[in-house]
Amino acid sequence: MTLPAWLAAIKFNDDGLIPAIAQDHKSGRILMMAWMNAEALQLTAQTQTAVYFSRSRAKLWHKGESSGHTQTVHDIRLDCDADVIVLSVTQAGGIACHTGRESCFYQRLDLSGQTPEWQTVDKVLKDPADIYHSNAVTNTTETNDSTTNDAVNTGIDQTQADKTSILQQLDRVLVERKLADADSSYVASLYAKGLNKILEKVGEESTESIIAAKDFANCDENKNKAQYDDARHELIYEVADVWFHTLVGLAWFDIESDAVLNELGRRFGLSGIDEKAAR
């Protein structure tokens, strides 16, 4: 297929993609970075709404398709090397990040101490649980393949928690996803990519939970209650991501969460030192 001259001028990478940076039309703040292929960019130009390409799901995604936080595009610019796109956008709802923040770039490197540390400097404007309403584990929740973590929206009916534990419900859903088409959900796409990708995600989310924990440790509830609450929520959110991806890894080996719970139960009443020595 022959591309129009304006698209042919772009230097897409070997995967046929180009990074696209979304910038607030009025403030100039960078909101997010995602990927576009030729079709996504052409649709963006035609509709004047942002359309990106998801590498994890290998398909187009319209920004705001599940959150409602669409992006109206006012201007599209190409850099001097023709390998980066900048979009000037109006962000619906004022939230571009799946964490409920204005921007995906909410961590700033603090150089004031002896060791540089990442600090969360933007507050959560809306709880992600109130943004995404999925009926299945990670249905088609927006993930923009940026440096931020993936939104894990379980969609499990909390009213059933008294009958069956959340972990047991997750076990069942994860088994179903192993047999599902790779394009049907985020989890199915992970299984399609194999164990190494799943383990990579566990490591990635673990690192982000460590960063969140250090940020929370630096917060003083008495000095800044809002910052303290945001940091606390962020730590819980990141640990949930670690747990979730660990469960995906267990399900790869057909190990249910009860096996881990039973092991933890076995350790009750045992001296930690004795238990370790007996291994």
Side-chain angles (χ1 to χ4, degrees):
M1 177 177 135
T2 303
L3 295 176
W6 70 274
L7 276 176
I10 295 173
K11 294 179 182 177
F12 294 98
N13 66 19
D14 292 341
D15 296 321
L17 303 174
I18 185 171
I21 299 167
Q23 187 175 33
D24 185 85
H25 179 58
K26 291 184 177 179
S27 70
R29 183 176 187 190
I30 295 174
L31 301 178
M32 57 175 280
M33 174 269 166
W35 296 90
M36 289 182 165
N37 61 6
E39 185 180 4
L41 183 52
Q42 192 163 28
L43 283 171
T44 297
Q46 289 173 352
T47 64
Q48 294 186 300
T49 57
V51 180
Y52 300 104
F53 182 83
S54 169
R55 294 178 302 172
S56 61
R57 290 181 283 147
K59 63 188 293 188
L60 298 178
W61 62 279
H62 294 247
K63 176 61 179 173
E65 64 187 16
S66 54
S67 67
H69 297 153
T70 55
Q71 291 175 346
T72 301
V73 178
H74 301 279
D75 194 27
I76 303 175
R77 298 201 175 206
L78 184 66
D79 82 324
C80 56
D81 292 324
D83 58 4
V84 177
I85 291 288
V86 174
L87 306 177
S88 178
V89 306
T90 294
Q91 177 64 61
I95 297 173
C97 184
H98 73 273
T99 65
R101 294 178 171 85
E102 176 190 11
S103 169
C104 291
F105 297 91
Y106 57 82
Q107 297 182 88
R108 179 179 65 83
L109 188 61
D110 182 7
L111 300 174
S112 61
Q114 291 184 338
T115 304
E117 291 185 354
W118 291 107
Q119 290 191 342
T120 299
V121 294
D122 289 2
K123 65 180 182 180
V124 175
L125 302 179
K126 191 173 183 180
D127 192 318
D130 296 329
I131 297 174
Y132 300 101
H133 302 285
S134 170
N135 292 320
V137 172
T138 57
N139 183 12
T140 53
T141 300
E142 295 167 27
T143 55
N144 58 24
D145 293 321
S146 70
T147 57
T148 59
N149 48 14
D150 297 317
V152 178
N153 188 347
T154 61
I156 287 176
D157 184 359
Q158 296 285 337
T159 63
Q160 297 300 316
D162 57 336
K163 297 179 180 178
T164 310
S165 78
I166 296 297
L167 291 178
Q168 288 172 331
Q169 291 184 64
L170 264 174
D171 285 339
R172 288 201 299 270
V173 174
L174 294 177
V175 168
E176 293 172 2
R177 292 295 185 269
K178 290 176 73 174
L179 303 175
D181 185 89
D183 292 333
S184 64
S185 76
Y186 167 70
V187 175
S189 73
L190 278 181
Y191 284 130
K193 291 174 183 176
L195 180 61
N196 284 345
K197 182 63 178 178
I198 296 170
L199 297 179
E200 178 186 316
K201 288 300 298 181
V202 173
E204 194 177 293
E205 303 299 349
S206 298
T207 299
E208 289 176 356
S209 69
I210 292 170
I211 294 171
K214 292 183 72 67
D215 287 340
F216 187 37
N218 290 327
C219 291
D220 188 328
E221 185 176 12
N222 296 320
K223 290 182 178 179
N224 191 328
K225 182 66 163 60
Q227 183 184 43
Y228 178 90
D229 289 343
D230 287 345
R232 181 178 183 276
H233 175 272
E234 185 66 17
L235 176 57
I236 294 169
Y237 186 89
E238 297 296 351
V239 171
D241 274 352
V242 176
W243 287 13
F244 178 80
H245 286 89
T246 302
L247 288 172
V248 174
L250 285 175
W252 173 274
F253 295 105
D254 296 322
I255 299 174
E256 296 184 344
S257 57
D258 276 352
V260 178
L261 294 177
N262 290 338
E263 173 59 22
L264 289 172
R266 183 188 68 81
R267 298 182 187 184
F268 271 104
L270 290 177
S271 161
I273 296 175
D274 291 343
E275 191 278 333
K276 187 172 182 180
R279 292 182 188 175

